[in-house]
Amino acid sequence: MAYILNIETSTKNCSVSLAHKGITLLCKEISDQGYSHAEKLHLFIQELCEETKVSLSELNAVAVSMGPGSYTGLRIGVSAAKGFCFAMDIPLIAIDTLTLLAHQLLNVEGGLIIPMIDARRMEVYSAVFNSNKEMIRAVEAEILTENSFANFTETLHFIGDSNEKAKTVLNNERYIFHDTIIYPSANQMSALSFEKYLAKDFVDVAYFEPYYLKDFMMTTKK
């Protein structure tokens, strides 16, 4: 049957979808209330099952966005995904978050796609993809400057929640900012997770950890 539950919590967008053979049946998400993942995630999953009439026992796999992104958001999403996989003895699929974000930009015939996720100050998590959504530069945590991505001569398509601050330093006429694509969504996970399901590209439920890219930093009041 190939029912797959997709979970995306790496940014402010708390997003889940239920897919059948790579096609999204229903997607629930919210991004306008800050980080509401702990309150909304399991509620959305329950609503998906009720509205699609598909029970959790019918799931064949669970897919989760693996990062990079918010430390807390990733922990919540991965913990939930692992819990379902352990309880129902089904495989876990991990999707790179920036790959997921890149797939939201459609009908790009040329140039490169640069999805970026906001980090602190002028720092972002980014990667570079060609127009076929193939990663040609690995994920990095970097501080944006006017020289960022200057080694690429192609037209660059920027997407993600870092566009506004990126515009303050990236001013080249070759740079195109797609401001309507802000957060990764579980809606786009459906085809990617089904492809991995068919290839049996699973991760170890017991040992899988999110891709934080850098250490979690906690601050305390003076």
Side-chain angles (χ1 to χ4, degrees), residues 62-73:
V62 177
V64 66
S65 182
M66 63 183 284
S70 159
Y71 181 93
T72 302

Side-chain angles (χ1 to χ4, degrees), residues 6 67 72 74 85 94 99 147 150 162 187 208 213:
N6 300 292
T72 302
L74 289 170
C85 290
T99 298
N147 295 317
S162 299
N187 191 36
F208 174 74
L213 197 57

Side-chain angles (χ1 to χ4, degrees), residues 72-216:
T72 302
L74 289 170
R75 293 301 299 178
I76 291 172
V78 170
S79 294
K82 282 188 170 186
F84 288 123
C85 290
F86 269 124
M88 295 177 284
D89 192 26
I90 55 178
L92 176 63
I93 298 167
I95 306 291
D96 174 80
T97 303
L98 291 172
T99 298
L100 171 60
L101 188 55
H103 275 76
Q104 291 185 227
L105 185 60
L106 305 176
N107 303 319
V108 176
E109 297 182 356
L112 303 177
I113 303 168
I114 302 182
M116 297 189 297
I117 293 176
D118 193 21
R120 290 183 295 273
R121 300 181 180 87
M122 289 301 291
E123 190 171 13
V124 298
Y125 304 124
S126 70
V128 180
F129 296 78
N130 63 23
S131 58
N132 293 321
K133 312 298 193 304
E134 298 165 334
M135 186 182 292
I136 63 171
R137 198 216 69 188
V139 179
E140 294 181 5
E142 57 189 308
I143 297 174
L144 291 176
T145 71
E146 61 183 8
N147 295 317
S148 297
F149 312 108
N151 57 315
F152 296 104
T153 59
E154 300 91 334
T155 298
L156 302 184
H157 299 270
F158 292 92
I159 57 177
D161 61 357
S162 299
N163 273 5
E164 289 307 312
K165 71 180 183 183
K167 290 176 186 178
T168 64
V169 293
L170 300 178
N171 302 309
N172 194 294
E173 63 182 9
R174 294 183 293 104
Y175 299 165
I176 301 174
F177 293 90
H178 300 267
D179 295 334
T180 58
I181 303 175
I182 303 174
Y183 301 118
S185 170
N187 191 36
Q188 273 71 40
M189 290 180 72
S190 300
L192 295 173
S193 61
F194 184 59
E195 181 179 331
K196 288 202 168 197
Y197 177 78
L198 292 178
K200 299 187 183 301
D201 185 359
F202 308 135
V203 295
D204 190 298
V205 177
Y207 296 102
F208 174 74
E209 289 291 331
Y211 182 38
Y212 298 120
L213 197 57
K214 61 181 184 178
D215 294 335
F216 174 64

